[in-house]
Amino acid sequence: MISSSRPTLIQWSFLLTALAGILLAGCSPRPDDTTQAPATPAAEATPQTVSQSDSGIIARTAHGDITLDDLRYQHLVRPFQSLMNLDPRQLPASTPIEVQRAANLFFSRPELATPEQLDKAARELAARLAAATAFENEADTTTTLQAQQFIDSQQQDLYGRFLSVSKVDMNLDHIDDATVAAYYDQHKMEFRQPFGFRMRHLILTTYETYEVLEGDTLESIAERISGDESKAEQIRADLAGRPLRRESSKLFKPLVPGERLLVPVDEERADEIRRRLETILAELEQGRSFEELVREHSDNEGGDEPTDWMPTGTLDPPMLAEILDAARATEIGAVSQPFRTRHGWQVIQIVDKREEGYLPLEEATPIIIATLQGAQREKLEGEMLEGLLDQEGVTVHAELIAEQGTQLDSQTVIVDMGDTNFVWGQFRHEWDRRGQPSEINQIRRLLRETIALRQLLTRHWAKTQLADPDSELSRLLNYYTSGVKGLFWLNRQLQQRSQQEFDQARVEAFYKANPEMYEAPRSVTVTIMERRLSPAEQELTGIAHEDALKRQLSSMASDLERAKSPKDFRTQASAMRVLIEGEQVLSGQTVELPIEALAFHLREQVEGVEVGQWTEPFIYDDRSVLSFLVESRHEGGVRPLEAVADQIRQQLMNETREEVYQTLIDEYAERAQYQYVGSAAR
């Protein structure tokens, strides 16, 4: 049976994921009938959320004294922002997300929080307490119901996380610094890291755009543009990603008149591009920033933003070698000398750099801890799940499965939990999938790993815990309930005030001050209908493959004849999406396409189609037939205000909400008569 001993408050770190970012994002809570636990006296009571103990007092309020334990509890409901920047190198290795990482650190290492951080967190808690009181006194029936539904819907997750932390995380062996250091020394080669850097990138390509004519070959085009037919191998398609037009090991598709290519220029033109780059770089001496120059002049998009660490993930080794040389020779913050690759003349600015060596011990520490605790974690998880099967009031009929598995009726009870049962029909598929094990231990292991049963067993366990109003789980549920109510009330005030303090004039002023943020190329927004060859048809070759594509083309033509409106088109496209096998399904998607970046045969399809109409079906590639419904067209240049107003409004509203939220915290903390006194015992 599972022990009923009380774990420490540190064990509650799992809870914050249930609410982090939800309440203050304005999301409406929704009940979840599949996980909603029965109401308990502990859940229904209005809790006392601050301690009356004199030990470790952080602050005093009209609602009672606030201790460090109170902060720990409430940090689980929604993390205090003032505690989010604790030293990440001290984080437990098992934390799954950044928010939870900071919370786990606060629970296990509160001494890392500064007095300033604790003061801000305690102030926010005082505001939540005052808001919870306002909720109880002033919330209408709808808001009260929403809050309770949200609390109920999250309880199943709460119970499961409680078990995981209390039975697994908190029982993992502590890995001290000496053990970590010893492992690091013994396995140092595992932490070797190559030279790396992050950069901004400005490139002027030494290519020019060429539109294919009847009778052209890659060699004739290369000779015409660059004077060297051997550069035919460097000609690229004018598409996103700019793939080589003739790629080794791939079937060369004949050139199509009107197709757009990127062709290397001759050396005289390349030298002009180099001189242009030098002229651009001279503006750095006049006070211009490198980011500004990239945005204005570079032929690649996004070069003004720092890259991730390179060379990890680089897919073009010939380019990388030259960039590596420039990166090695350039100091952090500096701009390299111009250099040339087969793509063009380039310069880079080094944002950060690390020399070849080893991952520092402090960065390797979480990896080492996770490695050393891995086997123990698996063992503890198994014991926890076995304990759920062995708890009082639960009977497992593993021997029945072993003896009669294939003959059992779907409604035969295989795990009896009193008022709730788990039947064979809920388990049969998993049993079959795992090879119909007949050993009792194998069956029990499979049962305990079945998610649906685990949820039922966890709920059964929680009921016994919540029957005691003084249990740690009951106390946690009280804190949780109070915290949710306080945050619901603050969120309601936040929404109302943000709307009051926000007006259209701010949107218009921001738009006028930042027109460059809303520049866009000429584009068309389309909804795609796709028919695709089956996996077997995709394996066909020659005439058989062409015939299969023609059949799909004919089928789509029939589909489009039945479509009488854009709504019909979208409905049909969405229905086809469900039927298509494979990855990257296009059908049903609505996308905005830059017209000039489209391949010629795609651009030709959408150019003459009016908004609200769709194209004739056409063969897209060697497996798909498409049709485009033109939803809207956008001329190049700065988008009109009405097209970007919602985007601006959301950005400004987020800023307004942050300002208003801090004002609310100050107001409600004052209502609570908040006074920070420091911590006597941390």
Side-chain angles (χ1 to χ4, degrees), residues 123-265:
R123 174 182 294 274
E124 187 169 342
L125 174 53
R128 293 181 191 181
L129 295 172
T133 299
F135 179 96
E136 295 290 355
N137 294 333
E138 303 176 43
D140 56 32
T141 302
T142 300
T143 304
T144 302
L145 180 61
Q146 286 179 337
Q148 190 58 53
Q149 287 176 336
F150 184 84
I151 292 166
D152 292 343
S153 71
Q154 298 299 315
Q155 287 184 31
Q156 179 69 36
D157 183 62
L158 182 156
Y159 304 150
R161 290 181 179 274
F162 164 75
L163 273 172
S164 179
V165 173
S166 63
K167 300 301 180 184
V168 179
D169 291 354
M170 301 312 302
N171 290 306
L172 291 170
D173 292 336
H174 174 65
I175 309 297
D176 58 29
D177 293 343
T179 303
V180 170
Y183 184 96
Y184 180 77
D185 290 338
Q186 294 169 11
H187 301 80
K188 199 165 185 178
M189 290 304 298
E190 298 175 14
F191 301 102
R192 188 170 184 81
Q193 59 183 10
F195 170 76
F197 60 96
R198 299 172 63 231
M199 68 173 186
R200 294 185 177 91
H201 185 208
L202 190 160
I203 178 172
L204 301 182
T205 60
T206 49
Y207 281 81
E208 71 176 53
T209 303
Y210 179 85
E211 191 167 296
V212 175
L213 303 175
E214 190 73 44
D216 274 341
T217 65
L218 291 181
E219 283 72 19
S220 68
I221 294 170
E223 175 67 31
R224 182 177 305 150
I225 301 300
S226 66
D228 182 357
E229 70 173 25
S230 69
K231 290 188 177 181
E233 303 301 321
Q234 300 177 29
I235 294 177
R236 298 179 174 273
D238 188 9
L239 300 170
R242 299 171 179 173
L244 287 170
R245 187 59 178 82
R246 178 191 288 151
E247 299 183 67
S248 60
S249 76
K250 290 190 177 181
L251 180 66
F252 176 71
K253 296 181 179 179
L255 295 174
V256 177
E259 181 181 354
R260 292 166 63 90
L261 303 175
L262 296 170
V263 185
V265 300

Side-chain angles (χ1 to χ4, degrees), residues 102-399:
N104 278 2
L105 176 60
F106 175 59
F107 280 96
S108 59
R109 300 289 302 277
E111 68 274 11
L112 294 177
T114 66
E116 291 77 14
Q117 289 174 322
L118 293 176
D119 180 17
K120 290 181 180 179
R123 174 182 294 274
E124 187 169 342
L125 174 53
R128 293 181 191 181
L129 295 172
T133 299
F135 179 96
E136 295 290 355
N137 294 333
E138 303 176 43
D140 56 32
T141 302
T142 300
T143 304
T144 302
L145 180 61
Q146 286 179 337
Q148 190 58 53
Q149 287 176 336
F150 184 84
I151 292 166
D152 292 343
S153 71
Q154 298 299 315
Q155 287 184 31
Q156 179 69 36
D157 183 62
L158 182 156
Y159 304 150
R161 290 181 179 274
F162 164 75
L163 273 172
S164 179
V165 173
S166 63
K167 300 301 180 184
V168 179
D169 291 354
M170 301 312 302
N171 290 306
L172 291 170
D173 292 336
H174 174 65
I175 309 297
D176 58 29
D177 293 343
T179 303
V180 170
Y183 184 96
Y184 180 77
D185 290 338
Q186 294 169 11
H187 301 80
K188 199 165 185 178
M189 290 304 298
E190 298 175 14
F191 301 102
R192 188 170 184 81
Q193 59 183 10
F195 170 76
F197 60 96
R198 299 172 63 231
M199 68 173 186
R200 294 185 177 91
H201 185 208
L202 190 160
I203 178 172
L204 301 182
T205 60
T206 49
Y207 281 81
E208 71 176 53
T209 303
Y210 179 85
E211 191 167 296
V212 175
L213 303 175
E214 190 73 44
D216 274 341
T217 65
L218 291 181
E219 283 72 19
S220 68
I221 294 170
E223 175 67 31
R224 182 177 305 150
I225 301 300
S226 66
D228 182 357
E229 70 173 25
S230 69
K231 290 188 177 181
E233 303 301 321
Q234 300 177 29
I235 294 177
R236 298 179 174 273
D238 188 9
L239 300 170
R242 299 171 179 173
L244 287 170
R245 187 59 178 82
R246 178 191 288 151
E247 299 183 67
S248 60
S249 76
K250 290 190 177 181
L251 180 66
F252 176 71
K253 296 181 179 179
L255 295 174
V256 177
E259 181 181 354
R260 292 166 63 90
L261 303 175
L262 296 170
V263 185
V265 300
D266 60 28
E267 288 305 307
E268 182 179 352
R269 173 69 179 132
D271 197 49
E272 291 177 6
I273 293 172
R274 176 187 59 79
R275 291 196 296 272
R276 179 181 166 225
L277 178 59
E278 292 172 347
T279 300
I280 292 170
L281 293 176
E283 297 184 40
L284 290 172
E285 299 177 2
Q286 302 170 12
R288 300 291 303 280
S289 72
F290 188 76
E291 298 98 301
E292 290 176 322
L293 298 183
V294 173
R295 285 194 293 267
E296 290 180 16
H297 302 289
S298 185
D299 290 334
N300 67 327
E301 294 185 4
D304 58 320
E305 293 294 329
T307 64
D308 292 331
W309 283 97
M310 298 178 70
T312 303
T314 300
L315 301 178
D316 195 342
M319 176 181 176
L320 177 60
E322 291 133 347
I323 293 181
L324 272 172
D325 289 341
R328 291 185 188 278
T330 307
E331 299 296 326
I332 295 176
V335 175
S336 73
Q337 292 296 315
F339 59 93
R340 185 179 180 183
T341 71
R342 60 194 176 97
H343 298 292
W345 279 99
Q346 311 180 42
V347 289
I348 60 175
Q349 181 186 54
I350 299 301
V351 176
D352 200 358
K353 183 161 60 170
R354 63 188 179 205
E355 298 302 327
E356 184 174 355
Y358 298 93
L359 187 69
L361 175 60
E362 58 268 23
E363 295 182 30
T365 294
I367 302 172
I368 295 171
I369 292 175
T371 301
L372 294 175
Q373 290 180 337
Q376 187 189 14
R377 174 177 294 280
E378 184 176 351
K379 177 176 178 291
L380 290 171
E381 286 175 347
E383 292 174 354
M384 176 194 76
L385 296 174
E386 192 67 24
L388 287 174
L389 291 175
D390 286 340
Q391 64 182 304
E392 185 176 352
V394 174
T395 304
V396 180
H397 300 293
E399 71 289 344

Side-chain angles (χ1 to χ4, degrees), residues 522-527 570 590-593 595 606 609-613 629-635 639 643:
R522 191 166 66 101
S523 64
V524 58
T525 298
V526 300
T527 297
R570 299 184 197 104
T590 300
V591 295
E592 183 176 348
L593 305 172
I595 291 177
V606 299
V609 180
E610 296 182 2
V611 173
Q613 300 297 315
L629 165 65
V630 177
E631 302 281 6
S632 59
R633 292 185 178 277
H634 315 287
E635 296 302 321
R639 291 283 176 85

